[in-house]
Amino acid sequence: MPNHFASIMLLFFSVVFSYAQAANLSTLSPNFDIGETVLVAFPKPTIKDDAYIIGIVTKKLEKGDFQIRVQEFVEGHDYGLSCVPIAVDETGQSTGDSGWELWKDTKYLSVDGLEYVVPGESVMDLGKGKLLFIDRYNIYISYSRWKSNAPVMPVEKLESTQAEARSIGMVGILPALKLAQLERVAYYDPQNGRPFWPHESVSRLLLVITDIQRLLSEQADLVRLWKSNPRNWQEINQSMKQVFLIDAIDKIVRDARYLIEGESLEKADPKALKLLQQQLKSIEQLRAS
């Protein structure tokens, strides 16, 4: 039966597990037996577009791929790019007919008379696969909470999220999480979580804005994609590093601009305020150039 990403995540969210035991995609094993329930992983750089299939192995193929009978799957992903439909009868035997004739919607894995050949390198142990996607989902939730300016979010959470990302090989999101951590401590006291007054945040924002300028001066591909107008999301979404870094830069610059234009800053350090204004203007001019 089809299943949604969020429902699967919530179902297993309460499972107690060690991140040291979480599976990394680089350790996928093709050694599964007929009758074994497995997870077929289709992670995406955006994380929110992750997809997977849970199914039972019905056949091992010579090239290392597997034929499976689908039990659950994430809807919305185009499985036609990586799966091959096999027409089967009630006993699971191939009918010799074209599976493509029966598979009308490649974003929906019909179980009526169809099984699917899936790439062996994407097949995982069911338990490890579930833990991997829970990890990825939790990391995405932490990033999203920062992006939404959640008031109750200690900076330690962003630190632990970076550790979690490293433990499962999600290094692409680390640059964005580091910026998120720097920005968080500019608006909230890292000791007690108290929100700073707007004038208190001005000088603290200089560090994260300076780091953004450094990144833009060092990474030509980042600048090219960040400056593209309209944004080339098809290319950006191919890289976890770029999609989250561009998103984080946009959010930080936008919020800083709102701060200096929408708040009373008479008590702000005038030198820090002037420098922050100059930094933001420089970044915005680069974006428009």
Side-chain angles (χ1 to χ4, degrees):
M1 295 295 292
N3 207 335
H4 292 288
F5 180 79
S7 62
I8 286 291
M9 294 302 102
L10 291 174
L11 179 62
F12 296 99
F13 186 80
S14 61
V15 176
V16 177
F17 62 93
S18 167
Y19 283 108
Q21 296 175 329
N24 188 311
L25 287 177
S26 64
T27 62
L28 302 182
S29 171
N31 299 317
F32 298 101
D33 297 325
I34 292 175
E36 188 170 354
T37 302
V38 296
L39 183 144
V40 188
F42 300 104
K44 292 294 183 180
T46 57
I47 306 178
K48 66 183 178 65
D49 298 312
D50 279 357
Y52 55 80
I53 304 168
I54 295 176
I56 298 173
V57 175
T58 60
K59 185 179 294 186
K60 296 181 180 181
L61 304 181
E62 291 183 0
K63 294 183 179 180
D65 295 336
F66 295 89
Q67 185 170 317
I68 65 169
R69 182 169 67 252
V70 173
Q71 293 182 311
E72 300 174 1
F73 66 94
V74 176
E75 292 187 72
H77 176 76
D78 190 351
Y79 295 97
L81 300 174
S82 49
C83 302
V84 177
I86 304 296
V88 296
D89 59 22
E90 293 81 358
T91 65
Q93 299 300 310
S94 174
T95 65
D97 297 331
S98 171
W100 292 105
E101 292 294 327
L102 298 175
W103 197 15
K104 302 300 183 182
D105 181 0
T106 56
K107 294 184 179 181
Y108 184 91
L109 295 176
S110 173
V111 296
D112 295 330
L114 285 174
E115 292 184 356
Y116 300 87
V117 173
V118 297
E121 65 270 15
S122 298
V123 179
M124 303 184 67
D125 172 83
L126 179 61
K128 290 181 179 180
K130 287 177 179 178
L131 293 182
L132 173 64
F133 279 93
I134 290 172
D135 283 355
R136 290 173 62 87
Y137 180 72
N138 288 341
I139 290 166
Y140 182 75
I141 289 298
S142 292
Y143 176 85
S144 298
R145 290 190 65 220
W146 163 74
K147 186 179 175 182
S148 66
N149 295 318
V152 184
M153 186 181 189
V155 69
E156 289 81 8
K157 179 58 179 175
L158 288 169
E159 293 174 347
S160 65
T161 298
Q162 292 174 62
E164 292 160 13
R166 290 189 192 94
S167 74
I168 60 170
M170 278 179 57
V171 295
I173 199 173
L174 290 177
L177 288 174
K178 290 175 182 176
L179 285 182
Q181 181 180 342
L182 286 176
E183 196 230 25
R184 189 72 184 181
V185 298
Y187 290 108
Y188 293 88
D189 190 323
Q191 301 301 318
N192 55 31
R194 175 186 71 84
F196 290 122
W197 290 101
H199 69 270
E200 294 179 297
S201 291
V202 169
S203 59
R204 291 177 169 86
L205 278 169
L206 294 176
L207 182 60
V208 65
I209 299 299
T210 297
D211 205 41
I212 288 174
Q213 289 183 307
R214 177 188 61 79
L215 290 169
L216 293 174
S217 68
E218 295 176 352
Q219 301 185 27
D221 280 346
L222 170 63
V223 174
R224 177 179 61 83
L225 293 170
W226 172 72
K227 287 177 59 176
S228 60
N229 189 17
R231 286 269 171 78
N232 185 355
W233 289 111
Q234 183 174 0
E235 182 178 358
I236 292 171
N237 287 343
Q238 299 305 307
S239 165
M240 180 178 289
K241 176 182 177 181
Q242 305 293 32
V243 69
F244 282 99
L245 199 48
I246 288 172
D247 188 58
I249 290 172
D250 284 350
K251 179 254 196 283
I252 293 168
V253 171
R254 181 175 59 249
D255 286 358
R257 172 58 66 186
Y258 178 83
L259 177 78
I260 64 175
E261 291 185 350
E263 300 288 351
S264 177
L265 300 176
E266 290 86 354
K267 295 182 180 180
D269 181 332
K271 291 183 179 179
L273 179 58
K274 182 178 180 180
L275 180 55
L276 181 59
Q277 290 170 328
Q278 291 173 341
Q279 287 180 319
L280 292 176
K281 183 178 180 180
S282 175
I283 291 173
E284 291 161 352
Q285 287 177 337
L286 177 61
R287 172 82 168 88
S289 65

